[in-house]
Amino acid sequence: MTQWVKLCGTHQAPKPGEVIEAEANGVAICLANVNGHFSALDNLCPHRGGPLGGGWLEDDNVVCPWHSWAFNTATGIARPPEKSKVTVFSVKIEGDDLLVQLP
Ligand code: FES
């Protein structure tokens, strides 16, 4: 069963073009703002465990700060030639809170 959990207040959310690290129920999340649309991905890079939320955006990809693997913020799929994927969580805003849907 999934649950909606507060990730941060909307005032703490990243501005367009920014990426941050946040945590919900002990799950580390990479929260990106792609042109005003929020995207929440697993913060742990599947390459060697880099913090995706410490990276940056290139178009609609978040780039890992350690070795520059890039992951699509909508699908979580790595940019070729890498063959990998991170989990993408649904996001919604309720009042002043930004929530993510966790499994
Ligand atoms: S740990 Fe993320 S690209 Fe290597």
Side-chain angles (χ1 to χ4, degrees), residues 32-54:
N33 183 330
V34 184
N35 298 322
H37 175 78
F38 291 110
S39 176
L41 296 86
D42 186 346
N43 191 52
L44 192 69
C45 177
H47 179 218
R48 293 195 184 159
L52 293 182

Side-chain angles (χ1 to χ4, degrees), residues 44-52 63-71:
L44 192 69
C45 177
H47 179 218
R48 293 195 184 159
L52 293 182
V63 182
C64 178
W66 285 10
H67 314 97
S68 299
W69 284 24
F71 299 87

Side-chain angles (χ1 to χ4, degrees), residues 33-101:
N33 183 330
V34 184
N35 298 322
H37 175 78
F38 291 110
S39 176
L41 296 86
D42 186 346
N43 191 52
L44 192 69
C45 177
H47 179 218
R48 293 195 184 159
L52 293 182
W56 60 91
L57 277 172
E58 284 180 7
D59 299 322
D60 57 354
N61 292 291
V62 62
V63 182
C64 178
W66 285 10
H67 314 97
S68 299
W69 284 24
F71 299 87
N72 185 282
T73 53
T75 64
I77 295 173
R79 186 164 61 194
E82 316 308 342
K83 293 181 171 54
S84 195
K85 187 177 189 294
V86 294
T87 300
V88 179
F89 303 98
S90 296
V91 177
K92 71 177 178 182
I93 291 175
E94 244 178 42
D96 294 334
D97 295 334
L98 193 148
L99 311 178
V100 289
Q101 190 174 35

